[in-house]
């Protein structure tokens, strides 16, 4: 598997990579709806198209992907109880939410983790500014209105970046690595690629 340092950030990539699914075999995360650990690599079978995200996802994409029969999971750092709080605050379906207290999924997918990608990256304030411009800061205000301080359960989680991956069976066919904090994949771009790969666009 390529190292995080060797993977382009902020650019979508079409790939043909079975190593990511292999890396997820035996990796545990908590399925928030059932408050139990699951094997992440076993959440979908060879005939499924699956979207896995570590980071943010908009509600409209969740509904559209689900309507097309595509499996989707959001992986969130932190313990299961924090996942429950996240679901209550955002309305994200608990049965599609995985809590990752040890960063196991993030590490298996070789997602970027560096202070240079957070506090010292000029893309971070630009990404936040872009989100404010798009909806007047409504999204950020909604999140911060009920924000509770959280101490990371593992060193390095405060600088952990997210990403998005689309699998068809055991093969990852598309990936995106967040280049900075708040610089997530475009929701409509993600939806378009998932539908293309599933042949349902």
């Amino acid at each position: 598997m390529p190292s995080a340092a060797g993977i382009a950030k902020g650019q979508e990539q079409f790939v043909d990579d079975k190593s990511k699914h292999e890396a997820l075999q035996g990796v545990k995360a908590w399925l928030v709806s059932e408050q139990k650990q699951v094997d992440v690599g076993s959440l979908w079978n060879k005939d499924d198209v699956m979207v896995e995200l570590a980071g943010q996802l908009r509600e409209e994409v969740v509904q559209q992907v689900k309507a097309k029969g595509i499996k989707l999971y959001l992986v969130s750092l932190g313990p299961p109880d924090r996942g429950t709080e996240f679901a209550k605050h955002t309305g994200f379906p608990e049965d599609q939410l995985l809590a990752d207290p040890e960063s196991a999924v993030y590490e298996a997918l070789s997602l970027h983790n560096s202070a240079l990608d957070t506090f010292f990256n000029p893309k971070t304030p630009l990404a936040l500014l872009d989100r404010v411009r798009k909806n007047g800061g409504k999204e950020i205000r909604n999140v911060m209105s009920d924000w509770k301080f959280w101490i990371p359960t593992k060193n390095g989680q405060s600088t952990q970046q997210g990403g998005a991956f689309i699998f068809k069976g055991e093969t990852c066919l598309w990936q995106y690595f967040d280049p900075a904090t708040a610089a997530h994949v475009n929701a409509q771009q993600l939806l378009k690629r998932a539908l293309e790969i599933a042949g349902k666009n």
Side-chain angles (χ1 to χ4, degrees):
M1 181 183 298
S3 67
I7 299 173
K9 296 176 287 186
Q11 298 177 4
E12 65 171 347
Q13 294 178 304
F14 292 92
V15 294
D16 186 357
D17 183 4
K18 290 189 175 183
S19 68
K20 286 186 174 56
H21 185 264
E22 292 171 358
L24 288 170
Q25 298 303 304
V27 173
K28 303 292 186 181
W30 290 81
L31 184 61
V32 172
S33 61
E34 299 182 21
Q35 293 290 296
K36 72 175 186 180
Q37 282 190 312
V38 295
D39 186 329
V40 177
S42 300
L43 290 174
W44 68 100
N45 61 45
K46 64 183 180 64
D47 297 318
D48 287 329
V49 173
M50 208 281 291
V51 179
E52 181 165 343
L53 297 107
Q56 180 203 43
L57 186 64
R58 298 180 184 277
E59 183 178 355
E60 66 267 22
V61 174
V62 176
Q63 299 303 324
Q64 292 178 68
V65 168
K66 186 175 182 179
K68 295 292 185 178
I70 298 171
K71 290 188 176 182
L72 182 147
Y73 287 95
L74 175 65
V75 183
S76 177
L77 288 174
D81 57 337
R82 183 169 172 81
T84 301
E85 292 177 7
F86 174 86
K88 288 179 178 178
H89 183 57
T90 64
F92 193 90
E94 289 189 359
D95 61 349
Q96 294 174 260
L97 180 60
L98 299 173
D100 188 8
E102 298 298 324
S103 307
V105 177
Y106 284 70
E107 291 175 2
L109 293 171
S110 296
L111 286 157
H112 301 285
N113 189 340
S114 166
L116 293 176
D117 290 329
T118 50
F119 311 115
F120 304 112
N121 191 329
K123 291 182 180 180
T124 294
L126 291 175
L128 290 169
L129 179 60
D130 184 57
R131 288 167 67 180
V132 170
R133 286 174 173 170
K134 284 181 178 178
N135 58 17
K138 179 181 178 181
E139 179 183 321
I140 294 176
R141 288 198 304 272
N142 287 344
V143 171
M144 296 305 294
S145 65
D146 196 33
W147 177 254
K148 296 180 181 178
F149 182 74
W150 172 64
I151 299 176
T153 53
K154 184 176 180 180
N155 288 339
Q157 288 183 334
S158 61
T159 56
Q160 180 68 65
Q161 300 302 306
F165 304 86
I166 301 175
F167 291 84
K168 190 165 187 177
E170 297 179 351
T171 306
C172 179
L173 295 177
W174 183 92
Q175 63 186 20
Y176 177 94
F177 290 79
D178 291 357
T181 300
H184 306 296
V185 63
N186 178 274
Q188 291 305 314
Q189 177 189 21
L190 175 65
L191 175 62
K192 178 182 178 182
R193 298 308 185 203
L195 295 178
E196 287 174 351
I197 289 172
K200 298 181 179 183
N201 56 335

